[in-house]
Amino acid sequence: MEVYNELVDQMTNTTAENNTYGHWKPFSTVSSMELGVISNGQSRIRDLIGIFFMVLLSIIALLANTAVIVVIIKSPQLRKFVFVFHLCVVDLLSAIFLMPLAIVSTSHFFGTVMFSLLECQVFIFLNVCLICASILTVTAISIERYYYIVYPMRYEVKMTAGLAVAVVVFIWIKSILLASIPLLTWPTYGIQGPTNANNCSLYWSPSDYKMVFVIIFSILCFFLPTIIIFIVYCSVYKVARIAALQQGPVPSWVNSSKSRSDSINSQTTIITTRNLPQRLSAENIFGGSKAAFTLIIIVGQFLLCWLPFFSFHLHLSVNEAVRSPGDVETIVTWLAYSSFAINPFFYGLLNRQIREELSKLKRCYMTRTTELGLSSQEGSIQENFLQFLQRTSCTVETRSSRINSSPRNTLDQTGFRIPGQIPE
């Protein structure tokens, strides 16, 4: 017993001496402080990475959609892309109004920002309205592609400017009506003053009929459009497979003319026939792997962006006992918003005609910039002959693209008949 007491006294004295000289501190205190510093550092790094990708997606959506809109406006032969133009307008509005508010609402760097009741309602309204308008426009583009490829002659007759305007008006009416439901069912009781920006989202909406609204919103803006898109692109793939199987020997001048359009559908550039083979190949027998891969990418991108978003809100609305993890809501929300930055590439810049017109406008702009620079430096009225040829070729290319931009001319250049097309 005495030996035990001596050992305890020695340990106590040693601890006191160490604390006096400051050589070390109790292990539990050091551990908690270190863990706190590490967790705070990891959280700050995660927040920096998150806000970086948020801002990056917003900038890409802003620039890409603006580029497609400018190209379609500047090129009269591209003004037939009504739905692509409308999709870019919707995504551009999302990049200007919705995504900056979402950055403030979801980023921890703005955790102290307060939204007024009106600001919170406007954010939820824009969230529902622009998401619905974007998805419905993608659905309209898929239906337009279906009729253009499967029934090209009927498309020429039925697809008019009036029909396109009617579809656009219908999309906006449906989107505005759906977005108004959370506002009309907003309760008059409870907190009516400013609220934290992080609590201003579709999930935290205090609507009495939130579960009914989320179910209606998911069915009308996701599940029905997904079914339509899947059926439409399956039908397009069948047409591509039949066209590949029916494709026979083509004249030699088709392969030698590399400057001509090589797309079945110059408006959508889904099914391409570059370097047409002289005989059936394995790709033709199995239905065109390139067309199948393109269709899988389009449908897969749509599901990847929107399926987690609607599944998350639908699950939490039906199961009210489950609480929302903040990070999961942020991830699925910005995964959905990434569609605003991807759409101009999938439906705009990957289109051969839009890409060619964009390069032509870029060449014209660079040529004019060079001319202005030379004229300011030399101060001469005479024009460089090389610049004159470049500008003339730019004008000739634009005029020729206008002449050859009709679906009939493009179909004639492909060298084979689409099933359902009436031979002329």
Side-chain angles (χ1 to χ4, degrees):
M1 190 67 180
E2 295 179 356
V3 175
Y4 174 76
N5 292 331
E6 291 178 359
L7 291 175
V8 171
D9 293 337
Q10 291 178 1
M11 292 176 62
T12 304
N13 294 332
T14 304
T15 303
E17 291 176 358
N18 288 332
N19 287 335
T20 303
Y21 292 100
H23 292 168
W24 57 276
K25 295 181 179 180
F27 179 75
S28 59
T29 306
V30 175
S31 176
S32 61
M33 292 180 62
E34 288 180 352
L35 290 177
V37 172
I38 293 174
S39 62
N40 291 333
Q42 291 178 349
S43 177
R44 181 166 293 274
I45 293 175
R46 183 181 58 195
D47 294 340
L48 286 174
I49 295 174
I51 197 171
F52 170 77
F53 281 105
M54 294 176 190
V55 175
L56 181 63
L57 282 177
S58 302
I59 294 175
I60 293 175
L62 183 66
L63 297 179
N65 287 288
T66 302
V68 176
I69 290 173
V70 170
V71 169
I72 294 178
I73 293 177
K74 290 287 187 180
S75 306
Q77 69 274 13
L78 298 181
R79 292 176 186 173
K80 59 188 177 183
F81 299 114
V82 179
F83 297 133
V84 175
F85 179 82
H86 180 258
L87 178 63
C88 292
V89 170
V90 173
D91 293 343
L92 181 62
L93 292 176
S94 303
I96 295 174
F97 298 106
L98 178 60
M99 298 176 81
L101 290 176
I103 292 176
V104 177
S105 177
T106 57
S107 177
H108 294 289
F109 284 98
F110 303 97
T112 59
V113 176
M114 304 294 289
F115 278 174
S116 65
L117 178 63
L118 179 61
E119 292 172 343
C120 189
Q121 291 177 341
V122 168
F123 174 63
I124 294 177
F125 176 84
L126 290 176
N127 198 7
V128 176
C129 182
L130 294 177
I131 285 175
C132 183
S134 180
I135 293 177
L136 293 179
T137 306
V138 170
T139 308
I141 292 175
S142 64
I143 296 175
E144 182 192 23
R145 290 176 169 181
Y146 168 77
Y147 276 99
Y148 191 92
I149 295 176
V150 179
Y151 305 105
M153 305 307 296
R154 185 183 302 178
Y155 174 87
E156 290 288 333
V157 177
K158 298 292 184 180
M159 189 60 195
T160 60
L163 179 60
V165 172
V167 172
V168 171
V169 172
F170 169 77
I171 289 173
W172 279 108
I173 291 177
K174 182 178 179 180
S175 302
I176 292 174
L177 290 178
L178 279 175
S180 301
I181 295 178
L183 305 185
L184 296 176
T185 58
W186 200 281
T188 57
Y189 57 86
I191 300 176
Q192 299 295 319
T195 182
N196 192 283
N198 293 330
N199 295 333
C200 186
S201 65
L202 184 62
Y203 171 77
W204 294 102
S205 173
S207 174
D208 295 331
Y209 304 95
K210 182 174 65 175
M211 182 180 69
V212 178
F213 165 73
V214 171
I215 294 175
I216 295 175
F217 179 51
S218 302
I219 292 175
L220 295 181
C221 291
F222 178 71
F223 291 107
L224 285 180
T226 301
I227 294 173
I228 294 174
I229 291 173
F230 183 77
I231 294 175
V232 163
Y233 282 126
C234 285
S235 301
V236 170
Y237 172 72
K238 290 179 181 179
V239 173
R241 185 173 181 275
I242 294 174
L245 292 175
Q246 290 182 351
Q247 180 179 322
V250 295
S252 58
W253 58 268
V254 175
N255 290 327
S256 61
S257 179
K258 296 183 180 179
S259 62
R260 294 191 175 186
S261 174
D262 52 3
S263 175
I264 296 178
N265 181 8
S266 62
Q267 185 170 0
T268 61
T269 63
I270 297 180
I271 309 168
T272 56
T273 57
R274 187 181 301 274
N275 297 326
L276 296 177
Q278 296 292 340
R279 61 183 181 275
L280 291 177
S281 61
E283 182 177 350
N284 301 133
I285 295 175
F286 291 102
S289 58
K290 187 175 182 180
F293 178 75
T294 305
L295 298 178
I296 290 174
I297 289 296
I298 293 176
V299 178
Q301 175 265 332
F302 179 82
L303 293 177
L304 180 63
C305 291
W306 295 111
L307 181 59
F309 177 81
F310 284 96
S311 300
F312 172 82
H313 288 288
L314 192 61
H315 174 70
L316 293 183
S317 298
V318 174
N319 301 299
E320 296 181 354
V322 180
R323 303 305 299 171
S324 167
D327 293 338
V328 176
E329 184 180 6
T330 302
I331 292 173
V332 298
T333 299
W334 279 96
L335 186 62
Y337 289 168
S338 66
S339 176
F340 301 141
I342 297 174
N343 286 338
F345 293 95
F346 271 77
Y347 300 97
L349 297 179
L350 289 183
N351 186 299
R352 185 176 294 105
Q353 279 187 300
I354 295 178
R355 195 167 60 248
E356 289 175 354
E357 292 300 326
L358 180 62
S359 62
K360 291 175 186 178
L361 290 177
K362 183 179 179 181
R363 282 201 305 270
C364 293
Y365 176 78
M366 296 298 293
T367 303
R368 292 174 183 175
T369 305
T370 306
E371 290 178 356
L372 292 175
L374 292 176
S375 61
S376 61
Q377 292 177 2
E378 298 176 0
S380 175
I381 305 177
Q382 297 179 354
E383 187 178 30
N384 188 285
F385 184 68
L386 178 60
Q387 299 169 7
F388 172 77
L389 291 179
Q390 291 176 349
R391 190 175 69 253
T392 306
S393 63
C394 178
T395 306
V396 171
E397 288 176 353
T398 305
R399 291 179 178 176
S400 62
S401 62
R402 293 179 185 177
I403 297 175
N404 297 326
S405 62
S406 64
R408 180 177 301 175
N409 293 336
T410 306
L411 291 174
D412 292 340
Q413 293 172 3
T414 57
F416 63 95
R417 180 177 62 85
I418 302 177
Q421 179 184 2
I422 300 175
E424 300 181 356

